[in-house]
Amino acid sequence: MSKLWGGRFTKQTDQLVEEYTASITFDKELAEEDVRGSLAHVSMLGKQGILPSGDVETIKGGLSRVLERIRKGELEYSVSDEDIHMNIEKALIEDIGPVGGKLHTGRSRNDQVATDMHLYLRRRVVEFVGLLRSLQEALIGQAKENLDTIVPGYTHLQRAQPILFAHHLMAYVSMFGRDAERLQDSYKRIDTLPLGAGALAGTTFPIDRHYVAEQLGFGRVYENSLDAVSDRDFILEFLSHASMIMMHLSRLSEELILWSSTEFRFVELDDAFCTGSSIMPQKKNPDVPELVRGKTGRVYGNLTGLLTVLKSLPLAYNKDMQEDKEGMFDTVKTLSGALRLFAPMIATMKVNGGQMREAVNKDFSNATDIADFLVGKGLPFRQAHEVIGKTVLYCIENGKFLLDLTLDEFKGFSELFDERIYEVLQPETVVNARNVYGGTARPQVEAAIGRAEAALAETAGWVEAYSAKQN
């Protein structure tokens, strides 16, 4: 069969041109979305009396059979047919004859492909909100088991103040919660139907775009036909959100890599999520977090790539926009793999609370509380800061930690010290003294866990509702 658009041409397309311009090798990912959009479109053509009911039913039957072949992996794709739309239309015509050519009435590949990507990304966004929720649940599970586990808190990768390990984990619950909120917010822009915009100016046929939107579960339609076929903002927004999720995963990955090293020994990742060395039998390598950290760069690259493609394009559709898909598909695959691995990896992680406590006992992360103690005695903070700086220096020079000092040694730096300083310096006291909203005190962390679990219940309802909408 000749090309479906070949009437204008007197020569066959050069084979190299076919191979260079074809997108079927990657946009076949949109096959089911393409059929779904076509079924809604042809139903509308029948409703509006644009096609007779007999043709509509014939086309629907043919599309259903093509969809079945797609799901069974039996549909053979051809580069000569360029893209998923032409491949499916050709398969339809081969199945039902020339009447299949009527399917394209009142639409263009420009609005067709935009519709496919909206359908595809709308479904994926709901999936990712669900995956983020699973990861948050795993982190909360570990936090609930470590409400009494104290770990050094760091700034500049230097020990700063002791905190609950649960508090540290809940920081990531908050990050991933914002990530989920961003995806949920983006859904309303993805949930916009381009079909009916035609090539760029609409169509002369009396179509009903809102009926198609209803059939496909879209909340609204594009207001402007030029915008509808040239908009890729929704993909850019997804790639931006995906980049932030990967950034958060990468930060957590870096900490897992550090924490599982011999130098830290704070955690041990389950064997199922680690690999060994081909030459060093003692090695247990945290390859999953390392690879997630590495793959973050490719997701950033996909965002930058599409921004660059779109930055100078005039309205409306241009062939450059074919470059919108591979990066999107790659990001979906990369992010999905990372999230599906991270939740069980966190859930099965062993926490070495004893090693964390030993680290807290052998540092000066409780020094700030001595300054606060002196401030409570009336000493200005800047003077208290200087006193404690000298106290810490004395400890370093004499191979001691703060709790090793006698009361006389403390008084050598300030007469304001008394016996209560030893209670103030206990790690549990230091942690629980920060009993403010969002702080590391156990009551505050328990409250934060409660709020997070309530938010996850709401997220579960959202995922359930919007998953149903995709069908």
Side-chain angles (χ1 to χ4, degrees), residues 161-220:
Q161 294 176 339
I163 59 174
L164 291 182
F165 187 56
H167 188 56
H168 195 122
L169 295 175
M170 291 303 294
Y172 284 101
V173 172
S174 295
M175 292 181 210
F176 294 126
R178 292 192 298 274
D179 289 330
E181 288 174 3
R182 277 185 280 268
L183 288 175
Q184 288 172 278
D185 184 66
S186 74
Y187 185 94
K188 63 187 177 186
R189 286 173 288 281
I190 300 171
D191 193 32
T192 308
L193 176 71
L195 203 61
L200 75 163
T203 177
T204 59
F205 293 96
I207 63 173
D208 185 344
R209 296 183 65 202
H210 290 88
Y211 174 81
V212 177
E214 183 181 342
Q215 295 299 299
L216 293 173
F218 280 102
R220 58 185 178 179

Side-chain angles (χ1 to χ4, degrees), residues 4-25:
L4 300 178
W5 47 259
R8 156 70 175 79
F9 291 79
T10 59
K11 286 185 178 181
Q12 293 291 321
T13 308
D14 185 284
Q15 183 178 349
L16 288 177
V17 172
E18 283 191 342
E19 293 174 357
Y20 190 72
T21 60
S23 60
I24 188 59
T25 55

Side-chain angles (χ1 to χ4, degrees), residues 245-350:
I245 296 170
M246 288 297 293
M247 176 267 291
H248 289 148
L249 287 172
S250 185
R251 295 184 73 177
L252 180 52
S253 292
E254 175 69 7
E255 297 202 299
L256 292 175
I257 293 163
L258 288 171
W259 291 342
S260 61
S261 67
T262 303
E263 285 69 22
F264 278 77
R265 291 188 295 114
F266 285 177
V267 303
E268 181 181 357
L269 300 180
D270 191 85
D271 286 358
F273 300 95
C274 296
T275 64
S277 166
S278 63
I279 189 173
M280 297 169 284
Q282 82 282 7
K283 294 291 294 300
K284 181 178 178 180
N285 300 325
D287 278 11
V288 170
E290 286 179 354
L291 199 52
V292 168
R293 183 178 61 182
K295 285 181 178 290
T296 299
R298 77 189 285 157
V299 174
Y300 291 179
N302 291 333
L303 170 61
T304 302
L306 185 55
L307 283 168
T308 305
V309 166
L310 296 173
K311 71 178 182 65
S312 300
L313 292 186
L315 297 179
Y317 182 83
N318 297 271
K319 191 66 170 177
D320 315 47
M321 295 169 73
Q322 182 172 292
E323 291 296 300
D324 60 359
K325 298 174 193 64
E326 288 182 276
M328 179 182 72
F329 294 145
D330 181 73
T331 293
V332 165
K333 181 179 179 181
T334 302
L335 183 57
S336 177
L339 289 173
R340 291 179 189 279
L341 284 170
F342 243 85
M345 182 173 66
I346 292 295
T348 57
M349 177 179 70
K350 295 179 181 178

Side-chain angles (χ1 to χ4, degrees), residues 352-372:
N352 189 348
Q355 181 65 20
M356 292 179 179
R357 181 56 183 256
E358 185 177 349
V360 169
N361 289 339
K362 294 182 178 179
D363 64 22
F364 298 98
S365 61
N366 49 1
T368 304
D369 288 71
I370 309 181
D372 292 344

